[in-house]
Amino acid sequence: MILPRSFYLDHDVLDISKKLLGKVLVSDLGGQRTAGMIVETEAYRAPEDKASHAYNNRLTTRTKTMFAMGGVSYVYICYGIHHLFNVVTAEEGVAHAVLVRAVEPLEGMDTMLKRRGFDRLRPELTNGPGKFTVAMGIYKDHDGIALYEASGPLFIEDHRKGEDRFEITSGPRVGMTSAEECAHWPWRFRIKDNRWTSKPNVVKYDW
DNA sequence: CGAATGATCGGCT
DNA sequence: GCCGATCATTCGA
């Protein structure tokens, strides 16, 4: 079943980041349907989170979708090349978001392989935020998509039956040199022992 | 294996 | 002009 909009409106973005693990992201573009289970996420909580684009409620053409009511996508370009997919949460005006960092392919593997130029399934197909978006055909035009509408090109489903559980591990977020202490907050979550998550980054300290 | 590098967009100073 | 919520490739041990 598709996740209702109410799922995204909670104010606790850390809790939503954990609850999104195990959910299924579906893209249906030009008759090509692909789906993947979310296995790794990161929470971004403006205004106090320096690592967020919306730190201090910074409002630009890029960040404005993060201020929308929860349940829509926030897709932006990173390093000029990569299109990263986020889920906007909380009520309108609160710029919380969850970055999806890796998915486990479930459906449309042939399409994913073709889009990535791979000849067979292996974790590198989808184990990074800029990798699975290519595999699933997601790019910056998919900013602001309603993820609770099955008629759209992008939506999120819950395939779980309730009692099938998994363990969640948490660690520091990565790739942010200017975010200071915020970068060390354990706001990165993954399904324990899942082979489709990205490699744990080594955090270097200067002293 | 690890380190270095280029790709090149949006937003800041 | 500089830098980043990254990745693929190259080069060297």
Side-chain angles (χ1 to χ4, degrees):
Chain A
M1 116 201 139
I2 194 160
L3 285 178
R5 179 157 226 181
S6 57
F7 173 89
Y8 303 98
L9 301 184
D10 196 284
H11 194 81
D12 187 347
V13 68
L14 300 184
D15 190 46
I16 296 180
S17 298
K18 288 178 262 192
K19 285 181 175 164
L20 277 173
L21 295 175
K23 300 298 188 286
V24 178
L25 175 62
V26 181
S27 84
D28 196 345
L29 308 166
Q32 307 271 52
R33 186 182 157 106
T34 61
M37 181 173 75
I38 298 171
V39 297
E40 184 172 334
T41 59
E42 259 176 26
Y44 287 86
R45 194 174 71 189
E48 74 271 26
D49 181 3
K50 278 190 168 182
S52 171
H53 295 152
Y55 171 59
N56 216 301
N57 285 329
R58 183 192 312 141
L59 181 61
T60 67
T61 47
R62 181 172 67 158
T63 65
K64 70 172 187 293
T65 55
M66 262 199 283
F67 292 87
M69 193 192 300
V72 300
S73 59
Y74 167 49
V75 180
Y76 79 97
I77 296 182
C78 179
Y79 292 98
I81 325 183
H82 305 294
H83 300 247
L84 305 203
F85 171 84
N86 299 246
V87 175
V88 174
T89 71
E91 69 267 32
E92 187 173 0
V94 178
H96 291 181
V98 180
L99 169 70
V100 175
R101 295 190 52 85
V103 304
E104 174 177 335
L106 295 180
E107 205 181 315
M109 274 80 137
D110 50 340
T111 301
M112 293 197 195
L113 290 170
K114 193 180 301 174
R115 285 179 177 145
R116 290 271 289 149
F118 280 41
D119 56 355
R120 65 173 197 281
L121 273 183
R122 48 197 167 88
E124 291 70 32
L125 184 71
T126 55
N127 70 355
K131 297 180 189 176
F132 86 84
T133 51
V134 170
M136 297 190 69
I138 300 169
Y139 67 110
K140 69 172 166 93
D141 282 8
H142 297 122
D143 187 56
I145 302 279
L147 300 171
Y148 48 87
E149 288 178 352
S151 56
L154 234 44
F155 52 93
I156 300 178
E157 295 180 330
D158 185 358
H159 288 193
R160 306 215 138 233
K161 303 282 191 281
E163 67 269 0
D164 30 291
R165 297 233 48 88
F166 46 79
E167 282 189 67
I168 296 173
T169 58
S170 64
R173 294 177 298 181
V174 295
M176 46 204 83
T177 49
S178 58
E180 297 160 26
E181 321 80 56
C182 312
H184 305 312
W185 296 344
W187 285 7
R188 184 185 198 190
F189 305 98
R190 64 181 103 211
I191 294 181
K192 189 182 181 191
D193 298 329
N194 185 289
R195 78 185 198 99
W196 296 92
T197 60
S198 66
K199 303 262 191 309
N201 280 50
V202 181
V203 182
K204 294 179 186 168
Y205 297 94
D206 285 341
W207 59 84

